[in-house]
Amino acid sequence: MTYQTIKATPIAGALGAEISGVSLSDELSDSVIAKIRNALLDHLVIFFRDQKLTPEQQIAFARRFGPLEEHDFVKGLPDHPEIIRVVREADETSLNFGGAWHSDVTHQECPALGSVLYALDVPPYGGDTLFSNQYLAYETLSPGMQQMLAGLTAIHTARGPFGPEGRSKTNWQSMQVEPSAKALEEMEHPVVRTHPETGRKGLFVNKTFTVRFKDMTEQESSPLLEYLFKHASHEGFTCRFRWTPGAVAFWDNRAVLHYALNDYSGHRREMHRVAISGDRPV
Ligand code: SIN
């Protein structure tokens, strides 16, 4: 599909397209930004190769899609608190950041609209990121299951990754993570979310932040949640992005799960991530 000056080339049947014909460090016109936004809505995650972005330029590009937010638990760059460094050094052996299927910051009342991830240092092999289309995850459920899920609310919390006893205590040694009691707070979101721009319904639960259904125990919720987590990342709903230095991924966090593969032991990987503010899921 072409959007006049820019071109989107799908990388998989389910979602994902590489965009060519645009340099993100330029001051882009409103019309180019609108085309990029359309490409994002159509393909759910879009990729740009061979970009050269200073922190200011990455921030300026992402800001064209909405205000940026600072991460609740990961300290940003000293001069650019909106940017977090997603980094794993060559000698680290623990779980990597983002190494489970998730959408970003769903512990928040208004989880991010999307994230823009820029590759600074990539391993010679491995370290790919997988993405999964949650419209397809919802649409392929049976009408009976869809109807049942429509009445359910899920509880999300950041206590697993970022609570005082959470995974950040043992993982992500090179990142500036600040676990806190704030991670114990709980947030309600609908299990099926209607996308605010496309009007399409998608599944909206993820293994990192969703802990149970409202008014049910974790034990009661677990069988159905586990089923949904597995279904949500079925191979047929996914695409896989091979990073190269200077590549950028921009995903629609409202309709996509992602997963950073941890298969590059002995090599360094460093990305800069910014998150664009989103709205309250309905
Ligand atoms: C993340 O979950 O935001 C990190 C993704 C990645 O490093 O590929």
Side-chain angles (χ1 to χ4, degrees):
M1 192 175 294
T2 51
Y3 300 86
Q4 288 176 11
T5 47
I6 67 169
K7 184 164 177 246
T9 308
I11 67 162
L15 79 168
E18 282 204 26
I19 307 291
S20 53
V22 63
S23 166
L24 304 184
S25 56
D26 290 351
E27 246 184 63
L28 298 172
S29 66
D30 289 347
S31 115
V32 169
I33 291 293
K35 284 169 191 146
I36 292 174
R37 191 166 196 124
N38 284 339
L40 180 72
L41 295 177
D42 286 349
H43 298 282
L44 310 190
V45 53
I46 50 180
F47 307 103
F48 306 81
R49 295 274 181 200
D50 303 321
Q51 303 292 323
K52 251 188 166 5
L53 292 178
T54 62
E56 291 81 3
Q57 288 165 334
Q58 183 177 0
I59 287 171
F61 170 68
R63 272 213 184 112
R64 301 294 297 276
F65 300 88
L68 306 188
E69 55 191 39
E70 293 178 29
H71 198 283
D72 285 334
F73 309 106
V74 183
K75 212 167 155 37
L77 299 183
D79 295 335
H80 303 287
E82 309 92 330
I83 295 186
I84 61 167
R85 274 172 82 235
V86 178
V87 61
R88 201 167 86 130
E89 298 297 342
D91 59 358
E92 282 183 58
T93 51
S94 54
L95 187 72
N96 57 333
F97 189 80
W101 281 108
H102 67 288
S103 37
D104 291 329
V105 297
T106 62
H107 66 283
Q108 294 180 343
E109 183 175 359
C110 298
L113 171 158
S115 299
V116 176
L117 189 67
Y118 172 56
L120 291 160
D121 193 6
V122 300
Y125 53 82
D128 296 357
T129 306
L130 310 182
F131 298 88
S132 184
N133 178 335
Q134 296 308 286
Y135 297 139
L136 282 181
Y138 173 74
E139 288 160 7
T140 51
L141 292 169
S142 64
M145 178 64 93
Q146 288 179 346
Q147 210 176 345
M148 185 177 72
L149 296 182
L152 290 180
T153 298
I155 305 299
H156 296 237
T157 165
R159 72 169 182 246
F162 300 113
E165 302 301 322
R167 289 197 287 282
S168 60
K169 275 188 81 134
T170 48
N171 297 327
W172 318 327
Q173 291 132 22
S174 306
M175 292 186 56
Q176 292 222 283
V177 180
E178 299 176 325
S180 81
K182 182 173 168 40
L184 304 179
E185 291 170 9
E186 297 193 334
M187 185 55 60
E188 295 180 7
H189 293 308
V191 170
V192 178
R193 175 178 193 177
T194 302
H195 193 287
E197 293 185 80
T198 65
R200 290 176 71 184
K201 286 183 180 172
L203 196 55
F204 195 66
V205 290
N206 71 88
K207 204 174 170 66
T208 297
F209 296 108
T210 314
V211 288
R212 63 176 195 281
F213 297 111
K214 188 180 174 189
D215 301 327
M216 292 189 207
T217 65
E218 287 188 20
Q219 213 174 5
E220 288 166 341
S221 307
S222 166
L224 179 53
L225 272 183
E226 287 300 328
Y227 169 76
L228 294 175
F229 295 153
K230 191 157 186 284
H231 174 75
S233 57
H234 181 277
E235 294 87 332
F237 310 152
T238 67
C239 70
R240 176 172 178 153
F241 186 62
R242 170 84 198 110
W243 290 96
T244 44
V248 171
F250 180 6
W251 60 88
D252 186 336
N253 196 54
R254 305 163 293 186
V256 165
L257 295 181
H258 59 284
Y259 178 1
L261 278 171
N262 182 8
D263 60 348
Y264 53 100
S265 285
H267 298 286
R268 186 173 193 281
R269 182 178 185 272
E270 180 178 1
M271 325 292 253
H272 277 179
R273 188 183 101 178
V274 296
I276 301 158
S277 298
D279 50 10
R280 176 121 216 207
V282 291

